[in-house]
Amino acid sequence: MNQRLIAAALVLVLALATAATAHVWRPTRHLADEAGKPNLEQLFPKQFGEWVEDTRMPVVLPSPDVQAKLDAIYNQVISRAYIGPDGARIMLSVAYGGDQSDGTRMHRPEVCYPAQGFAIRTNVRGELALQPGWQLPVRRLESTLGPRMEPITYWAVVGDRVVTSAREQKVAQLAYGVRGLIPDGVLIRISSIDPETPRAFAQQDRFVRDLLQHSSADARLRVFGRTGGGGGT
């Protein structure tokens, strides 16, 4: 047998071994079946603190084709507008998916917004101060649609891990996968229509801190993950 045939045989053996290993290590248990599924209506009440749902403010819904894709990924979705102190208006969108596998992972706003015609002017990772010693990792975006300026703050929780990027999503998914678990995930997006980005982010931060203050311990873990004051690191 010449060296080419030997090399080809080795490649075939390695490919078969890789496929077999992937099959053996493929997670089969859903974390949502063991830990339970959240109720978004309870986690995000229509009124908390000085914030109350503003039914007069229309919430921009995705186009039908985008909505169809979202329906295939998420089990629960809520979209609301709130009015708070000094007339500040905040839009909240939350999506929960019970299966964070490769084909059903959450779609981040920097992907969904351009699909609806928005342009993303800036996209940076930041930290939102929830309490002394508790910094929540978030993603800050500036999106525009014509004259409309919509600053966005968002984060996601995969299992109990806060993630703000596709790489972090994948790492969290793999961390559960080696334990034989398929994690669930929730994506929290907060935005407001405001040409003054610093003011918008300050109002959004206040909204998030007020939500934390009026959340139970179980709700905090679901919404803010296991970071800082959310139950350990």
Side-chain angles (χ1 to χ4, degrees):
M1 183 180 293
N2 60 37
Q3 290 185 345
R4 288 187 177 180
L5 289 176
I6 293 174
L10 287 174
V11 170
L12 177 60
V13 170
L14 288 173
L16 291 173
T18 300
T21 301
H23 178 74
V24 170
W25 285 99
R26 182 177 299 164
T28 55
R29 293 154 43 217
H30 284 81
L31 182 63
D33 292 336
E34 300 183 9
K37 298 179 177 65
N39 184 322
L40 297 188
E41 294 287 342
Q42 293 178 358
L43 293 181
F44 301 91
K46 295 182 179 181
Q47 181 173 356
F48 59 91
E50 296 183 274
W51 298 91
V52 63
E53 183 180 17
D54 184 4
T55 56
R56 300 168 302 172
M57 185 177 182
V59 177
V60 178
L61 298 176
S63 59
D65 58 327
V66 173
Q67 186 64 52
K69 294 178 181 178
L70 297 179
D71 290 341
I73 297 173
Y74 300 121
N75 304 117
Q76 299 179 56
V77 177
I78 61 170
S79 296
R80 294 199 189 114
Y82 289 83
I83 185 168
D86 306 323
R89 284 180 165 81
I90 296 292
M91 292 179 290
L92 169 71
S93 179
V94 185
Y96 169 80
D99 186 336
Q100 292 301 295
S101 302
D102 284 338
T104 53
R105 280 188 291 166
M106 296 174 290
H107 286 184
R108 301 176 312 282
E110 57 263 42
V111 176
C112 293
Y113 266 62
Q116 299 177 68
F118 283 81
I120 304 298
R121 290 177 49 183
T122 62
N123 178 354
V124 298
R125 191 181 188 277
E127 290 186 333
L128 195 163
L130 292 174
Q131 292 177 344
W134 186 0
Q135 301 288 328
L136 176 71
V138 297
R139 183 68 58 174
R140 306 279 199 185
L141 310 179
E142 287 182 296
S143 69
T144 59
L145 180 61
R148 172 187 174 127
M149 171 73 79
E150 185 177 342
I152 302 165
T153 298
Y154 87 86
W155 70 96
V157 181
V158 175
D160 62 3
R161 297 181 175 218
V162 179
V163 301
T164 62
S165 69
R167 182 187 65 81
E168 291 175 354
Q169 277 184 265
K170 185 63 176 179
V171 169
Q173 176 191 343
L174 291 174
Y176 279 97
V178 297
R179 294 156 52 189
L181 289 169
I182 300 170
D184 58 357
V186 59
L187 188 145
I188 301 97
R189 187 191 80 220
I190 295 147
S191 65
S192 46
I193 301 172
D194 193 335
E196 298 293 334
T197 299
R199 177 178 62 195
F201 285 148
Q203 291 175 342
Q204 292 170 19
D205 289 0
R206 180 174 56 175
F207 177 87
V208 175
R209 284 191 288 265
D210 287 347
L211 176 64
L212 171 71
Q213 184 179 351
H214 293 86
S215 296
S216 66
D218 289 342
R220 287 185 177 196
L221 184 60
R222 283 288 193 178
V223 177
F224 300 102
R226 195 175 293 279
T227 58
T233 56

